[in-house]
Amino acid sequence: MTQTTTKELVLENNRLIPEIFGPQDLNLKLIEKKFNVRITTRENQIKIRGAPDKVEQVDRLLHQLQSLTEGDPNLKNGDIKFAIRLAVDEPDVDLKSIFSERIAVSSERGFISAKGTTQRMLICGVRANDILMAIGPAGTGKTYLAVALAVEGLLKHKYRKIILVRPAVEAGEKLGYLPGDMMEKVNPYLMPLYDALNEMLGVRKVRELIQEGIIEIAPLAYMRGRTLNDSFIILDEAQNSTRQQMKMFLTRLGFRSKMVVTGDITQVDLPNERDSGLVHAHSLLQDISGIQFVYFSEKDVVRHDLVKQIIKAYDSNGADPEPQS
């Protein structure tokens, strides 16, 4: 027979209870489901019943949520849901230290907070190093956070330009068959970068900054021969750069600049995976001071819960969903 225990606690600040409980107590119901406990409430009194270890985890989580909401009146319900998910994945997580690592992107958008230990490592790593390489699956926030840090640096006048770069290779597509010039061919593949910028700065402001050359979006091949000073440079989908392209890109780093390289080394679209510049850099540059690697996994996915499950299913199956020719 499974041992159960009951613990009672009191949340001291009644004003914060609606934010912690969520609309119609949905956050408490989520906690019940994730930790397999039973929660009953009466005003600010909470009774938790379940396995002793789970009861202690929920008790710690609720106290941390109270501390979080006291420290940040603008904490959104979505942030609390992420906090609950984090507490499930990492029972010893310090939620306050993670959510306190924030990126200021605009007065309208406010702050973007880390959504997990790995995201916090990325933010701290970019601030402490001139080059950071973030490796992991889609949906983990690698590119989004890099763009946010670039925007923050631009607004604080740390950089004169944001330069967003992607290789002109995408899942077997042949650019030559697409209409338009090279920029028109590549622009559709840059949409994740545009989406992040538009969310943080607004469509009109982004358009103005692009027209003024303050934000530059370009294919990787266009970086050859340049020295990039006073810039925040992001190379997205870097697994599809070749070894020669990666060397060319990294050696563009100028004074007072930062580079963030993002990619998923399990999703290489080059004819030969061993030619991937990100795979090669991963093995070659580990011991260089000033370059930091941060690794994401499916547990770091911050999209819909189903995305995490889909990635896990494909990884465990080991099959490529695309037929090989």
Side-chain angles (χ1 to χ4, degrees):
M1 186 173 179
T2 305
Q3 182 183 3
T4 62
T5 187
T6 301
K7 187 167 188 176
E8 297 185 19
L9 64 142
V10 177
L11 296 181
E12 299 170 359
N13 194 333
N14 290 344
R15 180 179 59 82
L16 301 176
I17 289 175
E19 284 119 18
I20 296 172
F21 287 10
Q24 300 178 323
D25 292 348
L26 287 178
N27 292 340
L28 291 187
K29 293 174 184 176
L30 180 61
I31 292 172
E32 285 184 319
K33 179 181 178 182
K34 294 289 187 181
F35 289 91
N36 194 27
V37 297
R38 174 67 176 162
I39 299 176
T40 55
T41 63
R42 184 176 180 182
E43 296 181 345
N44 63 335
Q45 297 179 330
I46 300 176
K47 184 181 293 185
I48 313 163
R49 180 172 179 80
D53 59 332
K54 299 300 181 183
V55 168
E56 289 302 319
Q57 288 177 33
V58 172
D59 176 60
R60 183 171 184 267
L61 169 61
L62 289 171
H63 278 104
Q64 287 201 75
L65 289 177
Q66 177 174 263
S67 178
L68 269 181
T69 49
E70 284 175 341
D72 186 357
N74 298 315
L75 201 70
K76 298 179 177 62
N77 188 55
D79 294 324
I80 293 180
K81 288 182 178 178
F82 276 121
I84 293 169
R85 196 163 82 177
L86 271 174
V88 174
D89 293 337
E90 303 176 40
D92 297 325
V93 69
D94 181 353
L95 293 175
K96 199 163 189 176
S97 72
I98 288 176
F99 280 85
S100 64
E101 202 62 58
R102 305 192 300 182
I103 308 169
V105 291
S106 71
S107 56
E108 294 80 14
R109 177 68 170 80
F111 295 93
I112 292 172
S113 299
K115 296 292 191 296
T117 303
T118 315
Q119 285 202 3
R120 184 178 185 276
M121 287 174 59
L122 185 149
I123 295 171
C124 295
V126 170
R127 289 174 173 162
N129 296 275
D130 288 337
I131 297 177
L132 182 134
M133 296 195 173
I135 298 174
T140 50
K142 306 181 300 297
T143 302
Y144 187 82
L145 286 179
V147 173
L149 287 161
V151 168
E152 179 186 61
L154 185 70
L155 295 177
K156 291 183 176 180
H157 306 290
K158 293 181 179 179
Y159 313 104
R160 290 190 295 106
K161 294 188 69 171
I162 296 174
I163 302 174
L164 307 174
V165 185
R166 283 187 87 174
V169 176
E170 191 76 20
E173 297 285 350
K174 307 301 183 185
L175 293 177
Y177 291 107
L178 298 176
D181 60 22
M182 176 56 78
M183 287 308 300
E184 290 171 327
K185 293 174 191 285
V186 172
N187 267 346
Y189 298 134
L190 299 171
M191 286 310 299
L193 302 173
Y194 283 117
D195 289 344
L197 285 170
N198 290 337
E199 180 182 330
M200 295 169 200
L201 294 172
V203 175
R204 180 179 298 179
K205 183 64 174 177
V206 171
R207 189 181 299 120
E208 290 174 358
L209 292 173
I210 291 174
Q211 290 174 348
E212 293 168 8
I214 295 172
I215 294 178
E216 180 183 342
I217 304 178
L220 178 56
Y222 283 31
M223 295 296 104
R224 192 173 301 279
R226 303 178 62 181
T227 300
L228 305 173
N229 296 320
D230 300 297
S231 301
F232 195 111
I233 312 116
I234 300 170
L235 174 59
D236 191 32
E237 296 291 337
Q239 75 274 6
N240 289 329
S241 66
T242 65
R243 294 185 180 197
Q244 293 81 7
Q245 286 175 331
M246 180 62 77
K247 178 183 177 183
M248 177 272 291
F249 175 78
L250 294 175
T251 54
R252 300 309 95 200
L253 182 68
F255 295 106
R256 302 170 300 279
S257 290
K258 282 188 185 290
M259 282 183 168
V260 177
V261 177
T262 68
D264 181 357
I265 58 177
T266 70
Q267 297 292 326
V268 177
D269 296 317
L270 297 170
N272 188 339
E273 184 176 319
R274 288 177 296 180
D275 290 334
S276 169
L278 184 58
V279 173
H280 184 238
H282 173 247
S283 63
L284 187 67
L285 306 178
Q286 291 280 348
D287 299 326
I288 296 180
S289 177
I291 301 178
Q292 181 175 339
F293 286 80
V294 175
Y295 303 97
F296 291 79
S297 68
E298 75 276 350
K299 76 178 182 64
D300 299 306
V301 171
V302 291
R303 293 179 183 168
H304 195 288
D305 279 344
L306 283 175
V307 174
K308 182 190 292 190
Q309 296 178 46
I310 290 166
I311 292 171
K312 190 173 183 180
Y314 274 112
D315 286 348
S316 62
N317 181 262
D320 186 343
E322 294 292 333
Q324 299 297 314
S325 57

